[in-house]
Structure formats: C-alpha cells, structure tokens
Amino acid sequence: MVQRTLLQAFHWYYPGGGHLWPFLEEKAASLAEMGITDVWLPPVYKGAMGSQSVGYDVYDLFDLGEFDQKGGTATKYGDRASLERAVHALEAKGIGVIYDVVFNHKMGADEAERVRVHRVNPDDREEIDPATFEATVLTRFTFPGRQGRYSEFIWDAKCFSGVDRIEDPVEDGVFKLVNEHGDGWNVEVDEEFGNFDYLMGSDVEFRNKAVYEELKHWGRWLMGELPCAGFRLDAVKHIPAWFFRDWIESMRESAGKDLFVVAEYWHADLEALRAYLDLVDRQLMLFDVALHYNFHNASKGGSDYDLRTLFDNTLVGSMPEHAVTLVDNHDTQPLQSLEAPVEPWFKPLAYALILLREQGVPCVFHPDLYGATYTDKGSDGEDHEIEMPAIACLPLLTKARQRFAHGPQTDMFDKPDCVAFVRHGTAEAPGCVVVMTNSTETAKTIDLGQEAGGVAFRDFLGHRDDEVTTDDAGCASFPVNDRSVSVWVRCDALG
Ligand code: CA
C-alpha cells in the first residue's frame, strides 16, 4: 500500500529564471523512487512582479506563463510549455500534482478606478468609520496581454472588499470599499484584528456572485488543462469558510474523483482549527502549525526539551485524519515572515516523527531534500547569507515510510530525552523500531513479543552499524547515537 507523502517542491528563495519546472521534470523519476506520491507546486500563474514573483501576489490566474504580461511571458519557474512537461513527467511516474490556490487577494491592477471608501482601524477592522469619501484605487484588472483567452472576466472595484492604499488623496492604511455586497467585511474569517478578512493587496469580495462563479470556472479550467490531484489553499483564515466549503464540493464534482485538499490556516490554536474544519464540513486537511512550533522549540531546546511533549496540543495528536504534518515551509524558513526554523540537527528526528508514524500526511520541504543557499535582509536590516543543508538521511526516511511504516503502532514516550515507537508490520509488509534522543548516546529496551524472538535488526539509516538481535522472548536493547535517530528494521526485510 502506497502511503501519501507530499513534497513542497519550492521555497521562498528558489532561484528565478525558469529553473523549477525543468528541475521537477528531471527529478520525477527519483522522487517516485524515493516514495514521494504528490508534489505541491508554487502558484503556477502570473504574479504582479512577473518573473520575480514567488507567486502569492497573484495577478492573472489564467496566465500559466503563456502571455506577455508583467514584463514577460514566463513566471519565475518557467513558461507554460515547461510547466506542462513537468506535470506530465510527474504524472507519468504516478505522482499527483497539487496546485497552490491563491484567492484571497490580487495585485498589480491594470487600471485605477474612482470609488468611495471607508477608513478602517487597522488594529480593529470592525471599527469602520461611517463616513465615506472618494478616492482612486488600483482595482481594475483587464489582462491586456491575454485578451480574453480562457476567460473574458474583467475584475473591477465591485470584485473587491478592501485595499491598503488609496491615491488622490494618497494614504496608506486599511480601506473598506463601498459596494453592494454588505456594509462590513466578509464573515466566517479569523477573528484576529476583529475581522481578518483583509490581509493584503486588493481583497477579493467573495459575496459577489460573479466573482464566485469566475473562481469556480478557473478551477474547472485548470483541471481541464493540466493533470490535477488536488489543491493547497492559501491564506484561508482571510477567506470566508463558506466559500471553500462550496468550492471544494464543486471541484470534486467536476473532477469526478476525490481531490486531496490541504488548507493553510496558520494558527497554533487547536480550537481555531477545529472551528474552521467544522465550518467547511471537514472536507479538507490543515497544516499542523502547532507541531511545527513544537519541532522548532525542541530543536532550540536541545536536551532541555522534554521529547514526551512533542505531540502536545497538536492537530495530529487530536484530529489526525485532518493533519498534514510538516517540519518547515517557505514562510518559516530563515528570513521569512513567520521565521521559526527547525535546526538541522533535529530535522532527522522530526522527519522520522512525521514520516514513520501512523498519523498524519507528511509534507517534505524542498531545501531539506536538496539544500538551499540564499541572501536576504534580516529584521536588523543587514544582509544575511543563509545555508540550509540537505538532510542526508531524508531520502532514506521517505523510502522507509513506504517500506517499513506499516501496521499497528506502540509508543514508548517514557523518558524526556529518549523516545521510541514501534510499527509492528502487517502480514504483507514489515514494520520498524524507531528510537531517538536529544541527548547523549543511549538505548531503549523494547519487548517486541515472542513472535519476534531471535530476530536480527539493522539501522536502515546507517547511523549505527551494529546489529541488534532479540532474545527468545523478543526483547532487545535498541541503541541510538548522540542527538540522533535510528530506524531498526529486520535484516531479513532488507532484501
Ligand atoms: Ca480576504
């Protein structure tokens, strides 16, 4: 049985110049061999900064690097032809393609419009100044380079609920556009700042029926153009929950198959995540933000961190069927907005915890597989050169997931500095014994039961080169190196 394993195929600083699509085309075979089943692509469409855009400043959802807009034809990752080659190469290797859906806002409007706006208190968005005044806003998107191909929809001020900049008078802040869709913001959004509908750019007005239909049209269009296994939904805490509840249902109906859907609701509080899942009829999965922070803290805390608490207050700990587990992503990597990286020494432990356990769908982060080097300004205003090393044992861990992460699970989270778990295997597939420590070399005595008596084990990761053999009762002491993890598997299963 193949177990779903995601790769986030990019990071914030992935080099531009059209390298990513050819890279993925080239890597399709090795990713499949490694046990990756689905690849989450960065936004595949044109951003306001053209070939400089990571993709979250979406300009034209229908321009997959095909039209001369925003300074060129290709996106940062390549042109449409190279995107098609990449996704078809992935599909040919049985890998599903997951598309990033950025619906909350648009940027890079083609034309300005004269509208009426309210000033809004940025710290309490429910505090909308009742007075309105005329201002010029950048809200008209005509896509002159595309000329109506695939969609003739023109976005204008009626399609947006707010902006953060007006001209004539020039002012920065948060402004609610006067429209026919309601006096206030969209509801069923996160409650930070009173109402967190507004995030950035021109904020999409989901209550406008024409907008709603256009976004459905886009989803169906994309699925018709390219192979699609599912979606990653961006910034859902700023989008009314009812919208995605309907949109996902509609996409699944159009696809005629189950689509994998994971949403980014960046909140460590379980109750907020639970409330959101209820609002969307539990049709999707969420990234386990709390688990990521636990990994971050564990990596910072070293041997002072109590490993028994790693799953405390996590999504995977309480609603595993809705948890996509991760170690780092493009927002948490060094110098990014939610910077809270997991230190390299702890990553093998963290990946063993997301890849080899029964609960959660794991998501591997591109730099952890391939490494990354980049320079950017830090919060101190100085340039910093960052090196994210590839995690050497990660390809073995993803393989181990497919080969050995089978059967019932027994936890031995009994010591603060050394925890272990056993996957007992099934009639068809072998299991494994996973031992890890954040302190010095140690061992865990584990009783695997009489049927595992007299069996020899080796560390699949090769961190240990000794062999462990259970006694007649199926008991053995499984060692682990300093600040390390070992994945002990039966020698007769190594083949
Ligand atoms: Ca919004």
Side-chain angles (χ1 to χ4, degrees), residues 104 161 196-199 203-204 206 238-239:
N104 178 66
S161 64
F196 215 172
D197 184 4
Y198 189 82
L199 175 66
D203 187 70
V204 169
F206 291 91
H238 312 285
I239 294 172

Side-chain angles (χ1 to χ4, degrees), residues 30-52:
S30 76
L31 289 171
E33 202 248 330
M34 223 181 271
I36 299 294
T37 62
D38 296 270
V39 164
W40 156 24
L41 302 183
V44 293
Y45 29 82
K46 190 71 56 74
M49 307 271 287
S51 62
Q52 304 300 309

Side-chain angles (χ1 to χ4, degrees), residues 167-313:
E167 283 165 42
D168 190 18
V170 171
E171 201 175 316
D172 291 316
V174 177
F175 304 92
K176 170 80 183 62
L177 304 185
V178 174
N179 67 27
E180 63 197 81
H181 307 295
D183 293 334
W185 298 101
N186 283 271
V187 294
E188 290 192 18
V189 296
D190 195 67
E191 288 171 0
E192 201 178 339
F193 305 116
N195 171 305
F196 215 172
D197 184 4
Y198 189 82
L199 175 66
M200 61 170 83
S202 298
D203 187 70
V204 169
E205 177 57 89
F206 291 91
R207 293 170 295 193
N208 181 330
K209 194 76 185 153
V211 165
Y212 174 76
E213 291 302 326
E214 175 68 357
L215 296 176
K216 281 207 292 193
H217 165 61
W218 176 78
R220 288 191 295 262
W221 171 80
L222 185 73
M223 291 192 292
E225 300 285 314
L226 302 173
C228 174
F231 300 104
R232 179 265 184 190
L233 311 178
D234 183 61
V236 298
K237 69 183 185 182
H238 312 285
I239 294 172
W242 63 260
F243 169 78
F244 275 126
R245 186 176 60 230
D246 290 3
W247 191 84
I248 293 166
E249 205 178 298
S250 170
M251 289 308 111
R252 284 191 173 137
E253 219 174 270
S254 300
K257 62 173 182 183
D258 192 34
L259 296 166
F260 179 82
V261 182
V262 56
E264 177 213 26
Y265 197 108
W266 200 257
H267 215 310
D269 174 34
L270 271 183
E271 285 320 303
L273 301 189
R274 197 189 301 271
Y276 184 75
L277 285 168
D278 286 341
L279 286 171
V280 294
D281 289 347
R282 305 220 160 198
Q283 292 183 86
L284 47 69
M285 302 183 76
L286 296 172
F287 290 110
D288 194 342
V289 179
L291 181 66
H292 158 73
Y293 284 115
N294 286 358
F295 287 158
H296 169 70
N297 292 333
S299 77
K300 291 279 176 199
S303 60
D304 292 334
Y305 186 88
D306 186 342
L307 294 174
R308 295 171 301 182
T309 67
L310 271 168
F311 290 106
D312 285 4
N313 304 310

Side-chain angles (χ1 to χ4, degrees), residues 392-432:
C393 65
L394 186 50
L396 285 172
L397 282 166
T398 52
K399 277 183 199 156
R401 172 171 174 79
Q402 303 300 355
R403 288 183 64 184
F404 307 111
H406 302 290
Q409 179 173 296
T410 307
D411 280 341
M412 276 144 285
F413 279 48
D414 51 0
K415 283 181 72 188
D417 61 349
C418 178
V419 296
F421 59 94
V422 177
R423 296 301 301 274
H424 293 278
T426 64
E428 295 80 32
C432 58

